[in-house]
Every structure is written in structure tokens, then in C-alpha cells.
Amino acid sequence: MDVSLNIAAGGCASRVFLMMKRVLLLLLITGICVPMEVVFGQAAANGNGTSVSSSSSSPRPSVANIGSLFTFDSVIGRAAGPAIAAAVDDVNSDPTVLPGTRLNLISHNTNCSGFLGTVEALQLMENSVVAVIGPQSSGIAHIISHVVNELHVPLLSFAATDPTLSALQYPYFLRTTQNDYFQMYAIADLVTYYGWREVIAIFVDDDCGRSGISILGDALAKKRAKITYKAALTSGAPRSQVSDLLLEVNQMESRVYVVHVNPDSGLSVFSVAKSLHMMTKGYVWIATDWLPSVLDSLQPYDTDTMNLLQGVVSLRHHNPETDLKRSFMSRWSNLNHKKSIGASGFNSYALYAYDTVWLAARALDVFLNEGGNLSHSTDPKLSDTKGSAMNLASLRVFDGGQQFLQTLLRMNFSGLSGKIQFDLDKNLVRPAYDVLNIGGTGSRRIGYWSNYSGLSTISPEVLYTKPQNNSSSTQHLSSVIWPGETLLVPRGWVFPENGKPLRIAVPNRISYQQFVAKDKNPPGARGYCIDVFEAAINLLPYPVPRTYMLHGDGKRNPVYNEIVQAVAQDRYDAAVGDVTIVTNRTKIVDFTQPFMESGLVVVAPVKEQKSSPWAFLKPFTIQMWLVTGAFFLFVGAVVWILEHRMNGDFRGPPSQQITTIFWFSFSTMFFSHRENTVSTLGRFVLIIWLFVVLIINSSYTASLTSILTVQQLTSRIEGIDSLVSSNEPIGIQDGSFARNYLMDELNIAGSRLVILKSQQEYSTALQLGPKNGGVAAIVDELPYIELFLSSTNCKFRTVGQEFTKSGWGFAFQRDSPLAVDLSTAILQLSENGDLQKIYNKWLTHGDCMEQINEIDDSRLSLNSFWGLFLICGISCFIALTTFCCKVIFQFRRFTPEGGEEAEVDEIQPGRPRRSLHSTSFKHLIDFVDRKEADIKHMLKRSSNIKRQASPSSDVQANSPA
């Protein structure tokens, strides 16, 4: 096999020859006319030294040229070189792949230079290759992609991870490793998993670095996080530049660093960080896949190197453990190609390089089997040089390039690195990474990331067999040993000692200055809100440099929406004061936990209600009075029915019995009834009713006492509903959100709203009233109203219910970590009682906060007693049912079965008796009206008559006929 690796490994003569070629190509590019024959003496030759024909006559050629383009002496190149050579040998020795055709590998060294890499790429294209393996540099890939687009030669890169190379602009570029797009989303998930909101990106300022960090910024933005600073390094930056850069980022707030650099020079970042004491507790370092590539190639690990990386978290390409991979790993140390280029280590890029060769070979086999041709032809646009000496005609177009590219895209097989298959964006399917934690003398895997399931401690191969689930609740990683050898997750940010102090906006109020106000003494502001904020700050485990900045002209209260907007626009870092948490504000800033409850209430003038001669009727509602009276009569009637047959007190003429019913009914109200109950059912009903009467009497007495002894206040404004329905003016506090709420939510006309600037204006406007230029009521937040009412001698009261629920909180810029920490501190203040102590220090309560309720609201209604009436009604129903059953049973016994009834009376003894069916209702009523004793006597006599009649019938039956 003719492998031109000798170009890099040859003697001095070969190096001179190589330099001559580079100088020639440089002269060609710059337009200097130097004939190619002067240097080479012949036309460009192919890899076998034969002239290139414009077409191939053989359908199955004996040799197929493929090129490789990478930096031989690099972390990636030292792994990729032996892997590519081994793959070519394996393909050529496999009779099932490309039978009759041998792969001829032509390798060129890019020497980590964009210019030399481009020159080498152009030289490689002179060899009529059908595919190029590489390059490893994304920058060179960008340039060469334009060349292969013109020559229709697929570019198969095993290491160019720049996400922008997937653009439609580069149709012949095909990435055979993982796209950095997925790696950056993995880092974003990692940042979100630990609750960090801000990161600093340290990257090499080239195509790959810039594109990767740009994708990271987009991914973090979707997670409500962000890159606060992009620290760019030049490729191969000297130690002094790295030191200056790290000193700069160390002055910033964020302590989460994402390092996305080249593997050949990346360790210098950690070396400098170690010397600057930036690898200690509180720092977070996240490295992309370049770091595991370096460490894997250094095995066994170097102790000095590992000491630089303690606590670093990194990502490594996930390659499933298969028999094919294990077999290749066992061969690695015996590869002869390894010695030829001085390779010293293995990393995951070796697997991708090996698979790339096999991808090209398998696709080429399919391409030839489908009738493809490896012919090359001259491009007329390159042949017409218009008199220039540039030998562009030596660059030939691969005639079957488009067909071969489509064949590559539809390949599907399992390689050393995993599944080799492309999606619609020409990315490898199932991207996944191992999440590593470096510590001790090596690294340990703490989990996996895949775009199928996110972060997990279960391998992606297992998760692929389960339904997809990317919810945050399923994201898991094992514990991490962070820098400083701690298991505690770093906060991720600090206030640097030489950093700018926190700019805190404080409302410069002219009213209700107990809450917040200007102070001539440090820190420049005072009040309840300031004390709460200072107490919460003192509970934080880190210092917070801060300065209070008054917002407002001091002549009127500031507009609080403007303060919140200024925080959102980065004019302030936070706002501390009586700032209400409302929906519109939460959309642009973050609030802490509320430190005071609030809500809108209505306050109105009140007057004392004069006593009425009919006050004794006020304890009950009309409905309650009617139902109570009806039950008195109903229970009296029931007791009369139950007692009438056996109690002489409930018998007599009809007029007397009606009088008895009414007297007995209402006398039970005072427990003064003189009639005694003798029946069991009557006593049962009376006991239940007396209990109901006791409850009603007690409730009535208590309510009437309250009405006659407690001061009754009234207001013509009943609450927010009556206020909205009227057309009277409404007072609101200057600068309050109540104005927008009343206009936008309750549709109150702005002309009805009167701005009041001080507590004195509150009092004056309410006293004047709407007819004299004042207001009917004031709508304001509860804390202000409590303070206002405590100084008015109870001339005004709140009416109706609190019709909004909200609270006061401290406002911070979106995603500020300080908002979360302060929320915890406020909760701690509330739990230990300090919040109440601060409240008692600044704010006082009067006795005027009791709500004004309407008289109807305080009257006892049926809703409070329907249970008692229900019990009483059921008792009466049971008693009446039992009584009726007893009467019917007696009446049936009184009436013989033979159709003859016993005598109802003795006035007409000769009158024939009627059957039960012909008995009139009148006789039933007459029967019921009789005394119980008479009924029993009649039933006993009827029974005796029947016994006497029975012997006579027997004698007649025994006498002879």
C-alpha cells in the first residue's frame, strides 16, 4: 500500500521537497507565474504514480484513493493516525468489503495551521481522491468545504465539531463524530441541574470555540440561565495571556466556568487557575470533551496533571461497551502504525476515525455495486485560467460525488463508537456523553447525558428501550467531589471583594415614612422595610456590599412601576421598600418571599347608628321570625293531637281547645306552660321542642344585648362593589399600583380617581365627602390603611372585604441568585420572631381596624338554626306516625271482621251496624275524639260479648234438627 505518511517522517531531503511544494502552491495562489514543470518536471500524478485520466473505464477499479487530513503530532492526531491506518488495513484484508478494490490512503499533515492546512488540502485534492477523512480542525473544515463543494468530494470529519458546519452551505461536509450542539445542551442541563443561573465561558477564539459558546448561550437562555462573560483566548495562548484572563474573570460574580478550548493547550488554563487559587472551595469548573481526550491519551495518568484538575466536571463521548470495541482496544498497543508517527495515547477520537474509514469503505462498496463510477473529470471553470500560470486544472471533479454522498447518508451499521447512522441534519443519531468527575488519581463516571432522556445514572442503551422522558424530576447524577474536596454543591456566585456594590433603589416617600424614608445618616435610608432587608442580609453566609440610591424627587411619592422598570433595565440591581408583588411586575423582575401581607381595601367615613324603638326585632331576620312562629304553632298542634285522648287539659269545647293550642305553644317560650303532658309521645316531642326553644332564647338574648350595648356604626359605602357601581370619586395613594388596578381590572373611569399625597389629604378628602370636593371612599393597601386609621380616632373604618391578596417583597433583576437566598433569610426571620419585633418597632395598631358590617350581616338567620328545626320536625313526624298507627290498630279491633261493627254509642241500640268499608270518615273522627279510657272500655265490652256468643252457638249446633 502506497501511504504517503513518509512525507512527515522522511529525512532532510523529503522535508526540503515538501517545503518546495508549499512555496510553489503559495506562489500559485498569489498569482506569480511559475510553471509546474519547473518544480516537478511532469503533470500531477495520482497516488500510484500514473497519469490521471478523465474517466475510469473499469466498473470495479483495483485502487480507490482516499485522503486523510489532520495534525499528526496532536492529542487527536496521535490517536487518529494509528486508527485510520488500522482501519485501512482491516478493510483491505476483509474479502466481503470492496472485493477486488484496494483502499489507498494518502495522508497530509495540517500542522495545526489554518494556512498550511488549506495548502495541504489542495495538494491532497490533486490525487483524485473519492473521499477525505478529516480535517480535525473546524476552521480548516470551513475553508476546505468550499473546495470539496466544487470538486464533489465528500469530507468525512471525525473531529470537527463546530455546529455551523451542519449548515446547508456545506452539503459535502459530513460529521462522523458528535456535534458540539448536543454537548452544549448537555452542559446547559448540567448547569440547571445544580441550580446555577450564571456562567463564564472560557474558550479559544476560533470557529469551533465561538460557535460552541454561542449554542451554549442559546441553550442556557432556554433554562433561564445565561453566560455573563465570554472570555476568549487565542489558539496556543501564552501563559501570561491566560493568567491575565483568569485574573479578570476572578473579579466577577460568577464562579461557574465552562472551559471549551483545544486539547493541546487546554491544560495551561487549569495550571494557571491552580496558581491563582481558583481551584479551591466555591469554584465550579466544567470542561468539554477536550479534557477527557487529553487524560485518556496520557494513561497512566500523570500525578502532576491530576493535581491540577481535582474537582473538575467534564463530558466525554459515550461509546457503548461492545465486543467489537473491546477487541480493538486489545489490539491498540500492538498496532505497528502507532510507532511510525510517534503516537502515545488513545482517546475516543480513535474510535470515530476508525469508523469513518469503514463508513467510506462500506459506502464505496454499495456505490460500486449500484453501478457507480470513480471517474474524475476536468472542471471547465478551473481549466480556463485566463492566462494565469496557476495549475488549477490539476484539481479534478469526482463525477459520482453526489451519488456517493447520498450513499454515505443512508449507511447504517454498528461501529466501534456506536451506531453509525445520520439524521436529516446529517448528525449521528443518539448523541450521548459520559459525565465525569475528576478526582484523586483518575476520574469516575457520575452519570450520562443523552438528548433522549437528559441526565441519568442509567446508561443510554437501557433508556432507549423505555419511553422517552425528559422531565426535570427524572434528572439524576451521582454525588460530585467539587474543588476543595467538598460534597456540598457550590453556590456558583459570590460578591467579589473589589466588585461593585449592589445598587439598591429606595423609594423616596413623603407619606407613610414609617415604611421607608430618606435618612441623613448612613446607610442613607431608614424604616420598617430597610430594617427587614438589613436583618435578612445579615443572615446570609457571605458579605453583600451595597449602596442605597433614593428614587424620587422628594416632593411626591415615586411611581413604583417606574422603580421596578428601572431594575429590569439594569439601572438598579434591586429595589428595597414597600414594593407590591403584582403580576405585571413579576414578568420583568424576580421578587423575594413576601415579608408583609398586603391587599386592597376600602376605607370610608362612618357614623354611629341611632337606637330604634323596634330594636328588639333586629336579632332575627324576617325569615327566622316566620319560621320560628310557625314551629311554635306546629309543635302546639302536634302536642294537642298526642294529648287530646288522654289529657283532660287538652279537651273541651272547640274554642277552648284552640285557645289551649295557642297558649301552650307560646308559653313554652318562657317554660311557663301549665298543662302537663301525660302521653309518652307528647313528652318526647315536648323535650325536643324545649331544647330548641332554649337555644333560640339564648341566641336572641345574646344578639339583642350586643345590639343595645355595643356601638353600632354604619356607612353608606358597603364595599368595593357598591363603590364601583356608583359614580362618586375615589381616593388613591400617589404612586400606588391601585390606579392601574381600578382602571384595568374594575373598569373604573380615570376621571373618578383622585390622587392623594399624604395622610392629611386622606383625612380631609374623606371628611369633605363627594359633594364638597372630597371622595366617597379611599382604596389603598392594607398596611397603609392600618397606619392611617391608627391616627384618626376611628372616624373612618374599612368596609367590605379585602378584595385583593398580595404582599410586599424585594425586587431583583431576573435570575438573580440573591433573590433566592434572601427569600430563605426572610422565612428564617419569620420563624425566629425577628420579623414581628421589627414590625412592633415601626408600626402601631389602633382599635379602628374592625370591619363595618351591615346590620343584616349581624342578624341571626335561618342558616344558623335550620338543623334544630329539622330535628324537631323529624321528631314530630315520628310521634304523629306512631300515634296514627296506634289509632288505626284500635279502630280495626273495634270493627268486627264479619262486617258488623261494635256499637259506637248507645243512643241507637237497634240500629244495624255497618261494615268497615261503609264506615264514614265521620265515625273515624268520632272514634279518635273519644277518650282513651272509653275506647279501652268499649273494646273490653266487645270482647266479652264475643265470648258470651260463642257458647250459645255451640249449643245450637249440638241440638237435634
Side-chain angles (χ1 to χ4, degrees):
M1 181 182 66
D2 183 13
V3 180
S4 57
L5 288 173
N6 294 329
I7 296 176
C12 180
S14 62
R15 293 193 186 96
V16 172
F17 182 70
L18 176 61
M19 290 304 299
M20 291 176 62
K21 292 178 65 179
R22 291 174 177 171
V23 171
L24 172 62
L25 190 55
L26 177 62
L27 294 176
L28 290 175
I29 294 174
T30 55
I32 300 177
C33 300
V34 178
M36 293 294 292
E37 291 80 357
V38 174
V39 180
F40 293 105
Q42 59 180 10
N46 63 10
N48 295 318
T50 58
S51 61
V52 180
S53 60
S54 61
S55 63
S56 176
S57 59
S58 173
R60 173 71 73 167
S62 59
V63 175
N65 292 336
I66 63 170
S68 67
L69 199 64
F70 59 94
T71 300
F72 295 166
D73 189 18
S74 66
V75 171
I76 295 177
R78 287 190 291 270
I84 292 174
V88 171
D89 287 345
D90 291 345
V91 169
N92 288 334
S93 61
D94 190 340
T96 62
V97 180
L98 289 176
T101 302
R102 181 173 62 88
L103 281 185
N104 179 44
L105 178 64
I106 306 173
S107 297
H108 281 248
N109 189 355
T110 59
N111 288 296
C112 291
S113 169
F115 174 73
L116 294 179
T118 304
V119 172
E120 294 292 340
L122 292 174
Q123 291 180 352
L124 179 63
M125 292 302 171
E126 295 177 358
N127 296 284
S128 299
V129 295
V130 296
V132 176
I133 310 300
Q136 75 183 61
S137 167
S138 296
I140 298 176
H142 275 282
I143 300 174
I144 300 177
S145 291
H146 294 287
V147 177
V148 297
N149 286 352
E150 189 68 27
L151 302 181
H152 297 177
V153 177
L155 192 62
L156 311 179
S157 177
F158 57 86
T161 57
D162 182 359
T164 60
L165 287 169
S166 297
L168 298 176
Q169 182 183 6
Y170 310 112
Y172 281 88
F173 176 85
L174 191 60
R175 193 192 331 266
T176 58
T177 187
Q178 298 296 348
N179 191 336
D180 267 352
Y181 175 91
F182 301 106
Q183 181 172 210
M184 295 307 162
Y185 271 83
I187 292 177
D189 284 348
L190 198 62
V191 170
T192 305
Y193 177 78
Y194 289 109
W196 302 314
R197 293 296 184 184
E198 297 179 350
V199 303
I200 292 177
I202 301 174
F203 64 101
V204 172
D205 192 13
D206 58 11
D207 291 328
C208 182
R210 287 190 299 271
S211 298
I213 296 305
S214 176
I215 295 296
L216 176 61
D218 294 340
L220 289 173
K222 293 180 180 179
K223 305 286 186 178
R224 288 194 63 183
K226 62 181 179 180
I227 300 175
T228 56
Y229 185 71
K230 297 179 179 180
L233 291 168
T234 59
S235 180
R239 187 179 179 89
S240 59
Q241 182 185 353
V242 176
S243 180
D244 292 342
L245 184 68
L246 292 185
L247 283 172
E248 181 181 2
V249 300
N250 197 35
Q251 308 303 317
M252 300 178 183
E253 182 178 296
S254 178
R255 283 293 183 264
V256 182
Y257 304 112
V258 176
V259 184
H260 184 50
V261 295
N262 295 329
D264 297 285
S265 58
L267 289 178
S268 63
V269 174
F270 291 101
S271 176
V272 174
K274 181 77 172 179
S275 65
L276 295 176
H277 304 288
M278 296 175 66
M279 300 298 296
T280 56
K281 185 177 179 180
Y283 288 87
V284 178
W285 292 88
I286 302 175
T288 52
D289 62 339
W290 67 268
L291 182 56
S293 299
V294 174
L295 296 181
D296 290 344
S297 64
L298 293 177
Q299 290 187 355
Y301 295 136
D302 178 67
T303 304
D304 294 336
T305 300
M306 297 308 299
N307 289 336
L308 301 176
L309 304 172
Q310 298 298 303
V312 175
V313 175
S314 185
L315 298 180
R316 179 177 62 193
H317 297 124
H318 175 71
N319 306 123
E321 294 295 328
T322 61
D323 293 338
L324 189 63
K325 177 182 175 182
R326 283 188 286 268
S327 175
F328 180 79
M329 294 297 296
S330 65
R331 296 171 49 200
W332 178 257
S333 59
N334 298 322
L335 292 177
N336 294 329
H337 301 283
K338 180 178 178 181
K339 297 179 181 179
S340 65
I341 60 172
S344 60
F346 169 86
N347 56 52
S348 61
Y349 286 102
L351 304 179
Y352 289 110
Y354 183 91
D355 287 344
T356 303
V357 175
W358 273 97
L359 170 66
R362 290 175 183 272
L364 193 58
D365 189 33
V366 174
F367 172 75
L368 294 175
N369 290 336
E370 293 177 350
N373 198 313
L374 301 185
S375 63
H376 291 71
S377 60
T378 303
D379 188 346
K381 291 184 290 184
L382 298 177
S383 299
D384 185 10
T385 60
K386 298 182 179 180
S388 172
M390 297 179 64
N391 191 21
L392 298 179
S394 61
L395 302 177
R396 304 299 182 95
V397 177
F398 179 23
D399 296 331
Q402 179 61 34
Q403 181 184 349
F404 184 45
L405 175 64
Q406 297 304 317
T407 304
L408 287 166
L409 291 174
R410 69 173 189 265
M411 296 305 296
N412 184 0
F413 67 95
S414 295
L416 300 181
S417 61
K419 191 174 184 62
I420 305 300
Q421 184 182 359
F422 298 97
D423 59 19
L424 296 178
D425 295 324
K426 299 192 298 183
N427 294 316
L428 287 178
V429 297
R430 296 182 176 178
Y433 292 88
D434 297 338
V435 183
L436 306 179
N437 179 209
I438 300 172
T441 59
S443 63
R444 62 187 181 94
R445 184 169 53 208
I446 60 173
Y448 306 88
W449 180 91
S450 70
N451 70 331
Y452 184 80
S453 58
L455 297 171
S456 174
T457 54
I458 304 174
S459 68
E461 288 72 35
V462 175
L463 295 175
Y464 291 146
T465 63
K466 300 178 181 180
Q468 185 173 5
N469 188 354
N470 279 322
S471 65
S472 58
S473 61
T474 62
Q475 307 294 293
H476 296 290
L477 289 175
S478 300
S479 60
V480 176
I481 301 176
W482 302 100
E485 298 183 356
T486 176
L487 292 173
L488 183 64
V489 177
R491 189 171 62 248
W493 65 278
V494 295
F495 282 102
E497 295 180 0
N498 56 351
K500 295 180 180 179
L502 206 66
R503 300 165 299 169
I504 300 177
V506 175
N508 189 9
R509 297 188 59 90
I510 64 170
S511 63
Y512 299 110
Q513 294 188 348
Q514 294 91 331
F515 294 110
V516 61
K518 177 182 178 180
D519 191 8
K520 296 180 180 179
N521 300 319
R526 60 179 176 83
Y528 168 74
C529 299
I530 300 299
D531 280 6
V532 172
F533 181 74
E534 289 290 333
I537 286 291
N538 291 335
L539 291 177
L540 299 181
Y542 49 87
V544 180
R546 56 198 177 277
T547 178
Y548 292 111
M549 305 173 67
L550 294 174
H551 185 97
D553 55 11
K555 299 179 180 179
R556 58 182 297 181
N557 291 337
V559 179
Y560 280 66
N561 283 339
E562 294 180 357
I563 299 178
V564 175
Q565 191 69 36
V567 173
Q569 295 173 352
D570 197 28
R571 290 166 53 194
Y572 303 114
D573 296 310
V576 172
D578 47 342
V579 183
T580 307
I581 304 172
V582 295
T583 304
N584 289 337
R585 295 174 183 174
T586 59
K587 294 178 180 178
I588 57 176
V589 297
D590 285 346
F591 281 94
T592 63
Q593 175 81 11
F595 60 88
M596 174 174 276
E597 294 183 357
S598 179
L600 291 178
V601 294
V602 178
V603 61
V606 294
K607 60 182 179 180
E608 185 176 354
Q609 188 178 21
K610 296 181 180 179
S611 180
S612 168
W614 301 99
F616 69 91
L617 294 176
K618 292 180 180 179
F620 288 163
T621 62
I622 295 177
Q623 185 184 30
M624 180 64 182
W625 279 117
L626 294 176
V627 173
T628 302
F631 257 83
F632 270 107
L633 295 176
F634 173 67
V635 172
V638 170
V639 173
W640 177 84
I641 292 173
L642 298 176
E643 294 289 322
H644 177 68
R645 300 183 69 191
M646 60 182 63
N647 192 338
D649 292 339
F650 290 87
R651 300 188 65 83
S655 59
Q656 180 181 344
Q657 296 186 44
I658 293 174
T659 302
T660 299
I661 292 174
F662 276 92
W663 164 255
F664 179 83
S665 299
F666 291 101
S667 63
T668 56
M669 180 185 301
F670 311 103
F671 306 99
S672 61
H673 51 285
R674 68 172 183 268
E675 295 82 7
N676 293 323
T677 53
V678 295
S679 68
T680 303
L681 294 176
R683 291 174 177 176
F684 169 71
V685 170
L686 186 60
I687 288 175
I688 300 297
W689 174 242
L690 290 178
F691 174 74
V692 174
V693 170
L694 175 64
I695 300 300
I696 293 176
N697 277 344
S698 301
S699 302
Y700 176 85
T701 302
S703 180
L704 183 61
T705 302
S706 174
I707 291 174
L708 296 178
T709 59
V710 178
Q711 184 185 34
Q712 296 294 324
L713 302 176
T714 183
S715 172
R716 59 190 188 84
I717 301 297
E718 300 175 1
I720 187 62
D721 293 332
S722 63
L723 194 61
V724 171
S725 60
S726 69
N727 291 318
E728 295 177 330
I730 303 171
I732 59 173
Q733 184 183 169
D734 188 18
S736 172
F737 80 99
R739 175 183 177 85
N740 291 337
Y741 180 85
L742 295 177
M743 294 176 61
D744 299 339
E745 301 296 332
L746 302 183
N747 298 320
I748 295 178
S751 58
R752 292 181 56 192
L753 303 180
V754 179
I755 303 297
L756 304 175
K757 299 181 180 180
S758 65
Q759 292 168 257
Q760 182 60 40
E761 290 189 11
Y762 273 40
S763 180
T764 302
L766 288 173
Q767 289 177 349
L768 290 176
K771 295 181 180 180
N772 298 317
V775 296
I778 292 175
V779 175
D780 206 349
E781 294 183 74
L782 186 59
Y784 302 123
I785 295 303
E786 289 178 344
L787 203 58
F788 168 67
L789 294 181
S790 65
S791 61
T792 60
N793 295 324
C794 300
K795 294 180 181 179
F796 316 106
R797 294 288 184 91
T798 58
V799 293
Q801 300 292 328
E802 185 178 358
F803 59 93
T804 67
K805 291 290 184 181
S806 58
W808 290 354
F810 304 129
F812 288 85
Q813 294 181 9
R814 293 299 296 270
D815 303 321
S816 171
L818 192 58
V820 178
D821 290 353
L822 274 179
S823 293
T824 304
I826 291 172
L827 289 176
Q828 187 174 346
L829 288 175
S830 177
E831 292 171 358
N832 61 23
D834 289 344
L835 196 60
Q836 185 62 40
K837 294 177 182 178
I838 299 173
Y839 182 89
N840 295 337
K841 172 186 175 183
W842 287 98
L843 307 175
T844 57
H845 269 297
D847 299 325
C848 304
M849 277 308 299
E850 295 152 0
Q851 246 177 26
I852 299 302
N853 295 318
E854 288 298 302
I855 296 300
D856 288 340
D857 293 338
S858 61
R859 298 171 73 178
L860 300 175
S861 66
L862 185 60
N863 291 333
S864 303
F865 299 95
W866 69 267
L868 286 174
F869 288 127
L870 178 63
I871 294 173
C872 184
I874 293 175
S875 302
C876 293
F877 176 77
I878 293 174
L880 287 176
T881 302
T882 304
F883 175 78
C884 291
C885 292
K886 178 181 178 182
V887 170
I888 292 173
F889 176 74
Q890 289 178 342
F891 187 67
R892 289 178 62 85
R893 287 183 58 197
F894 183 73
T895 304
E897 297 180 359
E900 299 292 333
E901 71 173 5
E903 294 183 7
V904 177
D905 56 48
E906 300 177 1
I907 299 176
Q908 299 176 343
R911 182 180 176 182
R913 298 173 181 174
R914 300 181 183 180
S915 65
L916 180 63
H917 297 287
S918 62
T919 302
S920 67
F921 179 73
K922 182 178 181 300
H923 292 107
L924 177 61
I925 297 300
D926 290 341
F927 180 81
V928 173
D929 189 51
R930 286 183 175 275
K931 290 184 178 181
E932 184 74 17
D934 294 343
I935 296 300
K936 290 181 179 179
H937 176 72
M938 293 171 59
L939 291 175
K940 182 177 181 181
R941 191 179 67 173
S942 175
S943 178
N944 292 334
I945 292 174
K946 290 182 179 180
R947 282 197 299 269
Q948 293 175 2
S950 295
S952 302
S953 300
D954 294 339
V955 171
Q956 293 178 4
N958 294 329
S959 63

